[in-house]
């Protein structure tokens, strides 16, 4: 497998990154970088780390001449997942910025320990911290419950001061979305499965409205909606499918309209990406645009309710006119 | 009879651990409600909760016991965030069950 970190690593270019991946040799992982400048999103790092865990540290390497900006890979902990020793040296007192380094979460108890430890690293206001906690909790829980991966979730996050934005990446090398949706929904393609997974009220565990005992089918929809309301990007990659929610246009004022169907949102999507055995979720949250969680939830829940009503109405029997 | 559950002691500042939700649901909430008792969930000190946690905690009691659960489950010391999440779950459960 081969991953290349370019100098354009943001979610706007996420599909280009996905298309550049090479999974042809699953026995080893080779990570290369742009020779002069590296820009990576946490999503790129979690994918690399998750694949490194899967192939084993001894079969994962960072190759070639790494530019000075490659020290970021070291600070985020990527070298620890590979056999390549880091050539970067820095003082522990050097300002490290506000980030959550690559971390592995394998159990619900790991998650409960990680969440309160992680948020202080980002130095967020109380209002923003609760939104970030919410997103991390729901996305990691999705992995632990649905991915069936023995390796759990790999997570990372970065705060960008210039744009006042938090970027989050969460990845697993489990069964992928299509398989987790297959039993109850029979999606034809990986992209159909992603579409279902992003639709409010739909969970892979049941076809019943209101979900199952354990799942309401809202985690991914809530997260995507938080990205949309804060006019940010959201991306999801599983199997051969990749979907990116594009940033809401800045010239359109007011709260962005939410849709139950992710294909009604401004987005890009493909169903012929290199086939990835697992799921990668990436989200940006613009803190300038973040309303209080209560307000966010009120907007999101209205769409959730409407989606349930619409699906129920679709099942109504019509009058028999003869 | 009333059963009070101090949530902060069990789930900390942020309610996200569904294993805890499942244990509470199976060992306290459902048995208490089924016996005709009231259950008070005290969220003092809890700053937030995920929809998944609240769903795992109360959706099954609502699904099984309908109005008996809605009438005998109480939430105490909830801040706006927690109230919003609980309200979301109540709305979609009643919508989906047509209570």
């Amino acid at each position: 497998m081969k991953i290349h970190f370019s100098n354009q690593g943001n979610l706007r270019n996420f599909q280009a990154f996905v298309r550049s991946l090479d999974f042809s040799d699953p026995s080893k992982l080779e990570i290369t970088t742009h020779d002069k400048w590296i820009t990576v999103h946490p999503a790129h790092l979690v994918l690399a780390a998750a694949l490194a865990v899967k192939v084993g540290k001894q079969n994962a390497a960072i190759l070639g001449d790494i530019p000075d900006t490659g020290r970021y890979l070291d600070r985020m902990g990527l070298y620890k997942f590979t056999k390549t020793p880091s050539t970067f040296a820095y003082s522990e007192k050097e300002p490290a910025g506000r980030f959550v380094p690559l971390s592995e979460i394998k159990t619900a108890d790991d998650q409960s320990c990680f969440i309160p430890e992680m948020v202080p690293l980002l130095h967020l206001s109380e209002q923003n911290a609760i939104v970030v906690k919410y997103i991390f909790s729901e996305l990691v829980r999705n992995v632990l419950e649905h991915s069936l991966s023995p390796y759990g979730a790999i997570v990372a996050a970065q705060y960008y001061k210039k744009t006042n934005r938090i970027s989050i990446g969460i990845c697993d090398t489990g069964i992928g979305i299509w398989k987790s949706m297959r039993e109850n929904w029979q999606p034809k393609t990986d992209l159909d499965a992603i579409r279902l997974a992003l639709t409010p009220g739909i969970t892979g565990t049941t076809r019943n409205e209101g979900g199952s005992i354990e799942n309401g089918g809202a985690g991914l929809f809530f997260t995507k909606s938080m990205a949309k309301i804060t006019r940010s990007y959201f991306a999801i990659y599983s199997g051969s499918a990749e979907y990116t929610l594009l940033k809401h246009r800045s010239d359109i004022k007011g709260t962005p309209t939410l849709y139950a169907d992710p294909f009604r949102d401004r987005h890009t999507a493909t169903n012929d990406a290199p086939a990835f055995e697992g799921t990668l979720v990436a989200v940006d949250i613009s803190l300038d645009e973040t309303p209080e969680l209560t307000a966010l939830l009120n907007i999101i829940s209205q769409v959730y309710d409407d989606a349930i009503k619409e699906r129920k109405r679709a099942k109504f029997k019509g009058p028999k006119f003869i | 009879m009333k059963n009070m559950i101090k949530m902060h002691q069990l789930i900390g500042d942020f309610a996200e651990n569904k294993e805890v939700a499942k244990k509470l649901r199976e060992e306290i909430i459902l048995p208490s409600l089924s016996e005709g008792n009231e259950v008070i969930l005290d969220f003092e000190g809890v700053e937030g909760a995920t929809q998944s946690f609240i769903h795992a905690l109360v959706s099954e009691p609502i699904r099984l016991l309908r109005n008996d659960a809605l009438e005998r489950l109480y939430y105490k010391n909830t801040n706006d965030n927690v109230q919003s999440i609980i309200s979301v779950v109540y709305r979609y459960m009643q919508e989906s069950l047509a209570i």
Side-chain angles (χ1 to χ4, degrees):
Chain A
M1 297 182 284
K2 293 176 183 172
I3 293 180
H4 181 74
F5 293 147
S6 73
N7 59 356
Q8 297 183 341
N10 50 47
L11 290 189
R12 188 177 53 192
N13 301 312
F14 189 66
Q15 199 174 106
F17 167 74
V18 162
R19 288 194 184 283
S20 76
L21 296 167
D22 178 352
F23 297 122
S24 56
D25 181 357
S27 66
K28 63 180 181 178
L29 174 67
E30 295 175 353
I31 300 165
T32 56
T33 72
H34 189 276
D35 58 355
K36 292 189 174 59
W37 193 268
I38 306 171
T39 310
V40 288
H41 188 280
H44 304 141
L45 295 173
V46 293
L47 177 68
L51 293 175
V53 169
K54 191 176 180 184
V55 298
K57 186 173 178 172
Q58 285 311 307
N59 299 311
I62 300 173
L63 304 177
D65 294 329
I66 308 299
D68 196 48
T69 47
R71 70 177 51 235
Y72 181 67
L73 306 182
D74 193 21
R75 296 308 293 263
M76 292 298 279
L78 185 62
Y79 278 88
K80 292 175 190 165
F81 287 84
T82 72
K83 65 181 177 186
T84 307
S86 169
T87 55
F88 299 104
Y90 43 81
S91 159
E92 284 301 318
K93 290 180 181 173
E94 192 176 314
R98 292 153 65 172
F99 63 88
V100 176
L102 288 161
S103 308
E104 296 176 79
I105 302 174
K106 291 182 180 171
T107 66
D109 286 342
D110 286 353
Q111 180 178 356
S112 292
C113 294
F114 172 76
I115 300 289
E117 286 174 6
M118 169 272 294
V119 172
L121 299 175
L122 298 169
H123 305 284
L124 302 173
S125 68
E126 195 176 328
Q127 176 189 325
N128 289 326
I130 198 128
V131 172
V132 171
K133 276 184 193 177
Y134 191 97
I135 290 172
F136 259 108
S137 299
E138 291 288 38
L139 293 181
V140 173
R141 179 198 55 78
N142 258 346
V143 172
L144 299 182
E145 289 183 6
H146 303 302
S147 78
L148 307 182
S149 167
Y151 309 110
I154 304 284
V155 305
Q158 174 71 52
Y159 170 75
Y160 298 95
K161 189 176 179 183
K162 193 175 170 186
T163 49
N164 195 25
R165 185 187 87 219
I166 292 278
S167 293
I168 295 169
I170 296 185
C171 187
D172 68 74
T173 50
I175 61 172
I177 296 175
W178 184 83
K179 280 187 181 168
S180 72
M181 285 285 171
R182 179 177 53 181
E183 185 177 339
N184 284 302
W185 296 95
Q186 300 89 40
K188 285 184 181 152
T189 67
D190 288 313
L191 192 56
D192 290 340
I194 283 180
R195 187 179 190 176
L196 285 166
L198 292 173
T199 302
I202 289 186
T203 165
T205 56
T206 182
R207 283 189 78 98
N208 293 337
E209 292 295 353
S212 62
I213 298 174
E214 307 290 349
N215 291 282
L220 281 173
F221 173 70
F222 273 45
T223 302
K224 178 177 78 75
S225 298
M226 287 177 181
K228 184 165 183 185
I229 290 170
T230 64
R231 296 170 185 268
S232 307
Y233 289 94
F234 168 93
I236 185 164
Y237 174 36
S238 184
S240 297
E242 189 277 337
Y243 170 97
T244 302
L245 171 77
L246 299 175
K247 205 169 174 175
H248 197 73
R249 283 170 47 189
S250 57
D251 59 324
I252 302 174
K253 303 297 177 197
T255 305
T257 305
L258 300 180
Y259 301 110
D261 181 355
F263 283 14
R264 286 189 69 190
D265 291 314
R266 196 169 153 254
H267 73 283
T268 61
T270 179
N271 204 29
D272 63 359
F276 167 49
E277 289 181 20
T279 304
L280 170 60
V281 177
V283 61
D284 289 344
I285 298 291
S286 167
L287 302 183
D288 289 336
E289 302 280 350
T290 306
E292 291 205 358
L293 183 65
T294 309
L296 270 173
L297 293 170
N298 285 337
I299 299 165
I300 296 167
S301 71
Q302 187 59 53
V303 182
Y304 189 105
D305 292 348
D306 290 346
I308 291 174
K309 280 181 197 165
E310 274 181 32
R311 280 199 297 275
K312 281 174 69 180
R313 283 190 197 124
K315 293 176 190 169
F316 286 173
K317 288 182 179 172
K320 293 179 181 175
F321 299 114
I322 55 172
Chain B
M1 192 177 147
K2 291 178 182 175
N3 280 321
M4 171 87 82
I5 304 173
K6 295 273 189 187
M7 299 298 287
H8 187 264
Q9 292 172 3
L10 302 165
I11 45 108
D13 297 343
F14 192 74
E16 49 75 29
N17 191 327
K18 287 172 67 179
E19 298 295 322
V20 176
K22 182 181 178 183
K23 197 173 164 67
L24 286 172
R25 180 188 77 226
E26 290 181 347
E27 294 181 7
I28 302 177
I29 297 174
L30 266 173
S32 295
L33 293 175
S34 299
E35 289 169 11
N37 298 323
E38 293 181 346
V39 177
I40 302 168
L41 302 170
D42 187 344
F43 282 84
E44 186 173 15
V46 178
E47 62 186 29
T50 62
Q51 169 269 336
S52 302
F53 177 87
I54 299 297
H55 181 96
L57 193 69
V58 300
S59 72
E60 188 66 356
I62 293 172
R63 191 190 310 275
L64 292 176
L65 304 171
R66 309 277 173 135
N67 275 323
D68 287 344
L70 298 172
E71 291 296 329
R72 294 205 295 269
L73 264 173
Y74 295 89
Y75 305 89
K76 192 176 174 186
N77 295 317
T78 47
N79 67 15
D80 289 348
N81 291 329
V82 177
Q83 277 190 18
S84 291
I85 290 287
I86 294 169
S87 301
V88 167
V89 175
Y90 265 52
R91 277 207 300 274
Y92 74 69
M93 284 309 297
Q94 290 178 83
E95 189 66 57
S96 59
L97 297 171
I99 292 174

